[in-house]
């Protein structure tokens, strides 16, 4: 049986939570390999709704879950999320949750810096979640991060604090803020250490044992490929690599461990925050998509921008991430539209493009070229087989497949876990 890597193939919010939950019930282990608690996954299990930001989605069903070294970890957010789940009857113990000892920590000073920068950026705002993700990744790359393993050696923290504070004190001074309160930071870390350390372990070793034992591992990506720091709509991106290639470096396995790469694709397009969005609809149709799709961010609560399906962007995202098959979600949101549009190309002035140019100025000037297809009057909500879908809905799915040059492996027709049409089993390879 193959491993499966799940990634978002748009700007995030594609419905990964449900798909990962559906797959996690058949996996032996679930692994988060990048991002932080800026990611938001909503799981609907029976009558209960779970909102996760940092924890792998498998945790709800008791599947052994790993937070890999590629994740930046806010220990206080972790504690709050575990306590929330505990209140919902989900027990999170070190037997179920494993955290890489080498995870960099998100500290209060990272949250401070994130907010200060965003407030000072004016029209250049990126639209971050202000949770310190970017500054934490910067400190990791700058070799001044405090990591999970350092929580066990707080009496040897001075050299790290010297490097960290030399950097942050200069930045804070530029914003008119006082230097880092080193003693308060020490106390905060000492208070949270006892909570985090029982979960810490060399997870690369656990993954190696699982791989050698033929276990099925589900790798869970956060955000989406179009937010990748290298391949996304830069600079309006996240601070990590979100493509499937990050699976190995972010968890401690070789590149062959990724297995079947499943790209999650919404049947239309949404985006949170600033940045280019060629098919955005700022009219009644866009509002209708948002209302029917309940398009509000799990983490921030911000209203998502909505637009028609962009086959150009999805095709590009699938190519750079080596996607094997896609899961098409929220097809039911398009029920009842007389006409549905699909973006098949771009124009900038008199020039045509079959990809999104890399420069932000060009991206802002892009005009979408649409193909119109007839909508369907019947309902797709709750469909669990092709026979349950209106003929025109099937035609829409097939046209999407042609344009993105990738087969559809699953179709999701509601937030409910079982309302899924399985075309190809990712775990069968």
């Amino acid at each position: 049986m193959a491993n499966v890597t799940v990634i978002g193939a748009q700007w995030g919010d594609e419905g990964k939570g449900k798909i990962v939950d559906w797959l996690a019930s058949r996996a032996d282990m679930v692994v988060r390999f990048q991002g932080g608690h800026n990611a938001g996954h909503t799981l609907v299990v029976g009558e209960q709704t779970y909102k996760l930001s940092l924890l792998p989605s498998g945790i709800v069903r008791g599947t052994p879950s790993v937070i890999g070294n590629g994740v930046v970890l806010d220990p206080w957010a972790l504690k709050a999320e575990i306590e929330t789940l505990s209140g919902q009857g989900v027990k999170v113990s070190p037997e179920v949750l494993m955290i890489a000892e080498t995870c960099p920590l998100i500290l209060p000073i990272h949250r401070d810096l994130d907010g200060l920068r965003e407030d000072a950026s004016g029209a250049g705002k990126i639209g971050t979640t202000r949770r310190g993700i970017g500054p934490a990744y910067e400190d990791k790359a700058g070799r001044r991060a405090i990591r999970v393993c350092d929580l066990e050696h707080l009496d040897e923290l001075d050299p790290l604090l010297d490097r960290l504070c030399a950097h942050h004190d200069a930045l804070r001074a530029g914003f008119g803020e006082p230097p880092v309160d080193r003693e308060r930071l020490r106390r905060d870390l000492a208070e949270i250490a006892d909570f985090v350390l029982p979960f810490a372990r060399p997870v690369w070793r656990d993954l190696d044992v699982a791989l050698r034992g033929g276990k099925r591992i589900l790798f869970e990506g956060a955000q989406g490929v179009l937010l990748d720091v290298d391949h996304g709509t830069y600079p309006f991106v996240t601070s990590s690599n979100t493509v499937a290639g990050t699976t190995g470096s972010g968890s401690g396995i070789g590149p062959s461990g990724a297995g079947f790469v499943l790209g999650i694709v919404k049947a239309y397009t949404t985006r949170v925050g600033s940045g280019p969005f060629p098919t955005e609809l700022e009219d009644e149709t866009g509002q209708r998509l948002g209302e029917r799709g309940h398009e509000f961010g799990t983490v921030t609560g911000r209203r998502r921008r909505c637009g028609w399906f962009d086959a150009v962007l999805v095709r590009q995202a699938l190519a750079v991430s080596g996607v094997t098959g896609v899961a098409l979600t929220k097809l039911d949101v398009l029920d009842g539209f007389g006409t549905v549009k699909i973006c098949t190309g771009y124009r900038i002035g008199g020039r045509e493009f079959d990809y999104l140019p890399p420069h932000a100025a060009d991206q802002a000037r892009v005009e979408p070229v649409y193909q119109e297809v007839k909508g369907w009057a019947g309902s797709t909500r709750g469909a669990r087989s092709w026979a349950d879908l209106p003929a025109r809905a099937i035609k829409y799915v097939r046209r999407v497949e042609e344009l993105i040059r990738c087969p559809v492996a699953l179709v999701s027709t509601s937030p409910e876990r079982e309302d899924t049409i399985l075309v190809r089993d990712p775990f069968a390879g």
Side-chain angles (χ1 to χ4, degrees):
M1 301 294 281
N3 297 329
V4 177
T5 295
V6 174
I7 59 167
Q10 292 159 305
W11 280 296
D13 311 310
E14 301 95 348
K16 292 186 292 295
K18 170 195 166 169
I19 302 299
V20 169
D21 176 55
W22 188 83
L23 292 167
S25 65
R26 303 167 59 232
D28 298 305
M29 188 176 286
V30 181
V31 182
R32 272 284 305 273
F33 57 88
Q34 50 77 218
H37 66 307
N38 53 340
H41 292 167
T42 300
L43 310 182
V44 179
V45 182
E47 299 298 317
Q48 186 70 268
T49 298
Y50 303 95
K51 294 183 181 295
L52 306 179
S53 295
L54 183 58
L55 294 170
S57 296
I59 206 80
V60 169
R61 296 187 179 276
T63 305
S65 299
V66 171
I67 295 178
N69 57 276
V71 174
V72 283
L73 181 82
D74 184 323
W76 298 277
L78 173 73
K79 185 172 187 289
E81 195 166 322
I82 289 175
E83 289 173 346
T84 297
L85 282 183
S86 177
Q88 293 182 285
V90 178
K91 182 181 179 181
V92 180
S93 68
E95 288 69 41
V96 176
L97 177 64
M98 294 160 273
I99 300 174
E101 299 168 312
T102 50
C103 271
L105 297 180
I106 299 175
L107 306 172
I109 58 174
H110 295 132
R111 295 194 296 270
D112 292 345
L113 183 58
D114 208 354
L116 289 167
R117 283 175 170 169
E118 195 75 349
D119 288 340
S121 294
K125 280 184 170 63
I126 299 297
T128 77
T129 58
R130 298 171 177 261
R131 298 193 169 204
I133 311 296
Y137 272 118
E138 290 174 33
D139 281 347
K140 174 185 177 180
R143 294 165 293 180
R144 54 182 171 266
I146 294 175
R147 303 184 298 172
V148 169
C149 57
D150 293 313
L151 295 176
E152 199 167 11
H153 299 274
L154 292 178
D155 56 339
E156 300 174 75
L157 206 58
D158 280 334
L160 272 176
L161 286 177
D162 288 343
R163 291 200 299 273
L164 186 71
C165 293
H167 177 76
H168 281 267
D169 285 350
L171 292 173
R172 292 169 68 91
F175 288 108
E177 295 293 317
V180 174
D181 187 336
R182 292 174 60 138
E183 291 312 308
R184 180 179 176 181
L185 181 56
R186 277 183 183 281
R187 290 195 303 272
D188 288 344
L189 291 171
E191 288 172 3
I192 200 68
D194 289 342
F195 181 85
V196 176
L197 285 173
F199 299 104
R201 54 188 294 120
V203 301
W204 62 268
R205 189 173 60 185
D206 296 288
L207 290 171
D208 184 57
V209 170
L211 287 168
R212 292 177 183 276
K215 301 294 185 181
R216 289 172 294 186
I217 304 175
L218 177 62
F219 295 96
E220 176 184 5
Q223 291 96 28
V225 174
L226 300 178
L227 292 173
D228 185 278
V229 70
D230 286 310
H231 300 287
T233 49
Y234 192 91
F236 303 99
V237 293
T238 192
S239 301
S240 62
N241 287 111
T242 59
V243 293
T246 314
T247 301
S249 61
S251 62
I253 62 162
S256 61
F260 187 106
V261 180
L262 183 67
I264 314 301
V265 177
K266 196 178 289 186
Y268 50 101
T269 310
T270 62
R271 175 163 204 170
V272 172
S274 305
F277 188 165
T279 66
E280 183 173 12
L281 298 170
E282 299 181 88
D283 56 12
E284 292 181 2
T285 300
Q287 184 175 350
R288 182 181 176 187
L289 287 171
E291 290 173 351
R292 295 194 63 181
H294 305 290
E295 298 296 352
F296 296 90
T298 301
V299 171
T300 64
R302 290 181 290 183
R303 180 185 293 275
R304 296 177 186 138
R305 301 153 64 191
C306 298
W308 293 121
F309 185 82
D310 191 330
V312 183
L313 274 179
V314 171
R315 184 170 63 239
Q316 185 172 331
L318 301 184
V320 301
S321 210
V323 170
T324 313
V326 303
L328 190 67
T329 65
K330 291 198 167 185
L331 182 64
D332 55 302
V333 174
L334 298 180
D335 290 353
F337 280 91
T339 300
V340 178
K341 294 182 180 182
I342 304 174
C343 176
T344 60
Y346 301 137
R347 288 194 190 97
I348 302 177
R351 188 179 173 189
E352 295 192 354
F353 290 82
D354 63 355
Y355 67 97
L356 187 67
H359 198 279
D362 289 332
Q363 292 174 355
R365 291 195 295 267
V366 158
E367 296 179 12
V369 176
Y370 287 116
Q371 177 184 57
E372 292 190 2
V373 298
K374 291 182 179 179
W376 51 92
S379 174
T380 64
R381 188 173 180 84
R384 299 182 181 181
S385 71
W386 287 119
D388 295 333
L389 294 179
R392 286 179 179 169
I394 296 175
K395 190 173 182 179
Y396 178 79
V397 175
R398 295 306 187 199
R399 184 55 180 152
V400 165
E401 278 185 315
E402 292 173 359
L403 290 168
I404 65 175
R405 301 171 188 165
C406 188
V408 170
L410 298 97
V411 179
S412 172
T413 57
S414 92
E416 296 295 332
R417 180 172 171 267
E418 299 304 325
D419 290 344
T420 304
I421 300 170
L422 177 62
V423 183
R424 178 182 176 185
D425 185 354
F427 274 122

